[in-house]
Amino acid sequence: MWNYGSTISKDPAVLADQDSHVGDSDEKLEREQWTNKAEYMLSMIGYAVGLGNIWRFPYLAYKNGGGAFLIPYFLMLVFCGIPMYFLENAIGQFCSQGPINMWRAVPLLQGVGFSMLMLNAVVSVYYNVIVAYSLYYMFASFQSPLPWSSCLSWADGNCSSVPKVYCNVSGVVVAWTQGNSTCPSSNMITVPVQSPSEQYWNRVALQRSSGLDETGPVVWHLALCLLLSSMLVAAALSKGIKSSGKVVYFTATFPYVVILILLIRGVTLEGARDGIEFFIGSKSNLTKLTEGQVWKDAATQTFFSLSIASGGLLTLASYSNFHSNVFLDSVIVTTINHGTSVLAGLAIFSILGHMAHIYRKPIASVVKEGFGLAFIAYPEALAKLPISTFWSILFFFMLTIVGLDSQFTQIEVITTCLYDAFPETFKSKRALLTIMTCSIIYFLGLPCVTRAGIYWVSLMDQFAAGWVLLILALFEITGFFYIYGGNRFIKDIEMMIGKKSFCFWLWWRSCWFFICPGITVTLIWSLITFVPPTYGKVQYPVWGLALGWCMVAFILLWIPVVAVYKLMRAEGSVWKRLKLLCSPSEQWHPYLDVHRGERYSKTSIVKKE
């Protein structure tokens, strides 16, 4: 065994060589480890690049000034995204533990780890349903023409591919067709209609009810797709990272192939330039940068797309080699993530521009948000392309893969927390643990595939995946840099990547101690400007909004509950208990003895006592 006594080598080659020796020791026997660096990096990229990059970012960019939005978006990456990602990666890699056990550094805040676990459980439920939507549309795409390309038997009288316009002539209303100049514009009456793709989404795919209080029966084609999604996740994670690490070679790379194909096809279409101009081109609105909402959206999108404070990064990093260059890994993954958002936006808006050109509509009238962009606007645009069946299959297969990639990590967080808590019980039962977890997530998702299911999915998405992440991130920063100690943790990082210069750490100290805590401003702004969520024009009932707040409380309540429990269990005066619980426990150290050096050796612990 190598001895990490009083010094840590600065040479990356030496550190890598040391890890190669560790690989032959108990590190892989005691706790799973990525087979190689490629599997680790692809898993991190696959988790970071999710559905939000494809349907959330393009709309936010369009809404917040187009290309102007890229300025705050990438500034947030530099000042908050990369530092927070670096922090979480370093924590997970240093202690080789999941979101709960990592708080051995600050036992008083171990409830934050439980909150991360509960957040993943909630998000996994509705994320699984979104993957089911993508699977259903992929299977439905195996038809020519596409079923949402025109108003078929399932449509009602309000379905039309073109606007219905009437002309009021001397009190008599008659139908008006495009090109007829005999009707003055002041006499024209436009009747709102729904496109075939919108009616297909509501009436066929979702069989949507009128509101949250009208549950209706389970939509069985979605329930079956939900089952298939759960089975795919269970199969990929049956052997933990040993199996998922092989799957990501395809799932993390294939979406880029599809995005590039769609982009190349999109830019060759008529009207594509108009779409791209609206997205990040000359029609960008720089005056939007003076609005606080733009900066808030940039911050929340950065946290959302990078999955900061959700526990997933910690979990994936906990299986990494102790001396992996966590700093470089963080910069690479976060940069790829933000670049993917822009690339996906170009692919989306080039084809939406073509659709606007065909309908002779402004871009604003064809762009939709969230589910509407992925399952209404884009399918409608694809239906206008030659060999539309091929493009639709390709697009929804990509959505499915991207969704599954993120779901892999969310389930892995849950199973890792359980495995870390009961290692002896689940050591030889990893597959059973994964199957049980996926089964529970499936049954919890069944209410989300009833006729009121989309209301539940939207409610969970808007309450659970919003500013809850900002609260957890704030606790993370407070715990590790104001309680555990930023300088102490920097020494921990140097045990992994070697000594760094004062100038190197000056930047990261500035970010961690001063800039990142500024997310408090974003959090307060979000709460002040909070507007009760809706689904389209459908308002949620009071009890539905109350359930949303209960969901938030269920996630965050663990923080004070665990803190109070630990204070009650500790001995001594209140101040002594508080001081004890704000100090690292004896179990906070690198996972293996060989990595602990003098700082975490048993001898040094005895001296401290």
Side-chain angles (χ1 to χ4, degrees), residues 439-459:
S439 299
I440 293 171
I441 294 298
Y442 169 74
F443 285 111
L444 289 176
L446 285 177
C448 296
V449 291
T450 60
R451 292 190 175 182
I454 188 63
Y455 302 116
W456 288 110
V457 171
S458 183
L459 189 73

Side-chain angles (χ1 to χ4, degrees), residues 311-331:
L313 308 180
L314 293 157
T315 300
L316 295 178
S318 71
Y319 297 110
S320 179
N321 287 328
F322 185 77
H323 288 300
S324 180
N325 192 335
V326 65
F327 162 68
L328 186 60
D329 296 344
S330 301
V331 173

Side-chain angles (χ1 to χ4, degrees), residues 258-432:
V258 176
I259 290 173
L260 286 172
I261 292 173
L262 290 173
L263 177 59
I264 293 169
R265 181 67 184 101
V267 297
T268 62
L269 298 170
E270 282 188 285
R273 181 174 180 177
D274 293 334
I276 294 174
E277 289 285 346
F278 265 87
F279 177 47
I280 57 170
S282 61
K283 296 181 182 179
S284 299
N285 184 4
L286 289 172
T287 61
K288 283 279 189 178
L289 296 179
T290 61
E291 299 177 13
Q293 181 67 30
V294 174
W295 295 86
K296 168 184 168 285
D297 284 347
T300 53
Q301 175 61 15
T302 296
F303 274 75
F304 180 82
S305 63
L306 292 175
S307 302
I308 290 170
S310 64
L313 308 180
L314 293 157
T315 300
L316 295 178
S318 71
Y319 297 110
S320 179
N321 287 328
F322 185 77
H323 288 300
S324 180
N325 192 335
V326 65
F327 162 68
L328 186 60
D329 296 344
S330 301
V331 173
I332 291 173
V333 175
T334 53
T335 304
I336 288 176
N337 173 77
H338 272 47
T340 303
S341 295
V342 178
L343 189 67
L346 291 172
I348 295 289
F349 270 83
S350 62
I351 293 182
L352 289 180
H354 175 64
M355 184 176 78
H357 172 76
I358 291 176
Y359 285 143
R360 298 185 180 180
K361 294 180 178 180
I363 297 291
S365 65
V366 299
V367 176
K368 296 183 182 293
E369 182 181 8
F371 297 111
L373 179 62
F375 298 108
I376 298 176
Y378 208 69
E380 185 177 355
L382 293 173
K384 303 301 176 184
L385 298 179
I387 57 171
S388 57
T389 296
F390 168 76
W391 296 112
S392 187
I393 292 171
L394 200 62
F395 175 72
F396 286 110
F397 184 48
M398 178 195 68
L399 275 192
T400 301
I401 294 300
V402 169
L404 285 173
D405 236 356
S406 297
Q407 185 73 346
F408 290 160
T409 302
Q410 286 162 178
I411 297 297
E412 188 67 48
V413 171
I414 300 172
T415 56
T416 294
C417 287
L418 293 173
Y419 183 83
D420 287 345
F422 309 102
E424 294 299 324
T425 304
F426 294 118
K427 187 173 184 180
S428 59
K429 301 174 182 177
R430 192 62 182 256
L432 178 62

Side-chain angles (χ1 to χ4, degrees), residues 74-112:
F74 278 92
L75 283 176
M76 289 297 174
L77 170 66
V78 173
F79 289 103
C80 282
I82 295 177
M84 288 299 299
Y85 204 95
F86 183 18
L87 168 65
E88 289 203 16
N89 258 355
I91 295 170
Q93 185 171 299
F94 179 79
C95 65
S96 297
Q97 294 292 312
I100 295 178
N101 284 353
M102 81 176 211
W103 289 102
R104 291 169 175 170
V106 188
L108 184 70
L109 295 181
Q110 194 167 39
V112 178

